[in-house]
Amino acid sequence: MTLFLINIILALVWTVVSGSFTLLNLGFGFLLGAASLFLIRREIGASGYMSRIFRIAGLFLLFLRELILSAWRVAVMVLSPKMHLTPGIFAYRLKVDRDFEITLLANLITLTPGTLSVDVSEDRSTLYVHAIDCSDPEGARADIASGFERKILEAFR
C-alpha cells in the first residue's frame, strides 16, 4: 500500500513540475511513477503492487467468463423440454482461511448462475454450496478449486 501512495505522490510531483494540472497529465505522471518504481523494485525490496492489480484483473476476467458460461448452461437447462436436474448441496473444503477471502469466494460462487453459497462451517474450513445440477459434485469441487479459489490465492497472498 505504501508503494501506491508513493506512486500518487510521484504523480502529483510530476504535475507540479510540468505545470499542467489536468487529469490526463496526472494519469501520465502516475504511469511514469509506476514505471520508475518498477525499475527500482529490487533496490527497495518490493515486488510492486502492479502485479497484484494484474492478478485481480485475472480474477475478474475469470468471473466474467464463468458468469457467461454458467448463464448459458442454466438457460439451456431451463429451456430444454425435459429438465434432467439433480439439485443438491455439497461440502467444499476451503484452502482460503482469511475472512475476506472466504467472503469473496462465497460471493463469486453465489453470483454465478446455478450455484449458491449456503453456509460456512463454524471452524471456517468448509463452504456449503447449493448447485442446480449437482450430478457431479467432485467436478464442481474441482472447478471451484482450480478456478475461483486458485485465483483468489494468487491475487491476495
Side-chain angles (χ1 to χ4, degrees), residues 85-156:
L85 300 178
T86 53
I89 296 176
F90 63 91
Y92 178 75
R93 290 293 284 173
L94 294 169
K95 293 180 192 82
V96 294
D97 56 356
R98 297 187 298 187
D99 288 339
F100 170 74
E101 296 168 341
I102 294 169
T103 303
L104 181 60
L105 179 62
N107 285 329
L108 289 174
I109 289 171
T110 297
L111 289 171
T112 306
T115 56
L116 176 70
S117 299
V118 178
D119 197 12
V120 178
S121 64
E122 288 291 325
D123 61 352
R124 297 177 6 203
S125 66
T126 306
L127 178 67
Y128 297 98
V129 179
H130 178 274
I132 194 169
D133 187 15
C134 197
S135 58
D136 184 20
E138 287 303 318
R141 286 185 192 102
D143 287 344
I144 293 171
S146 66
F148 289 144
E149 192 170 39
R150 181 180 61 85
K151 288 288 190 178
I152 289 172
L153 287 171
E154 287 174 4
F156 298 105

Side-chain angles (χ1 to χ4, degrees), residues 30-42:
F30 189 82
L31 289 176
L32 282 177
S36 54
L37 288 174
F38 177 77
L39 290 175
I40 63 167
R41 70 187 179 281
R42 287 196 179 108

Side-chain angles (χ1 to χ4, degrees), residues 20-78:
S20 175
F21 298 100
T22 63
L23 187 61
L24 184 63
N25 196 34
L26 183 66
F28 182 68
F30 189 82
L31 289 176
L32 282 177
S36 54
L37 288 174
F38 177 77
L39 290 175
I40 63 167
R41 70 187 179 281
R42 287 196 179 108
E43 284 76 19
I44 60 175
S47 63
Y49 65 91
M50 293 303 279
S51 61
R52 176 173 280 184
I53 289 173
F54 288 127
R55 291 190 302 260
I56 291 172
L59 174 63
F60 179 71
L61 291 175
L62 173 69
F63 171 69
L64 287 179
R65 178 180 164 268
E66 289 295 322
L67 180 69
I68 292 168
L69 290 175
S70 62
W72 175 258
R73 279 188 233 121
V74 169
V76 167
M77 276 188 240
V78 170

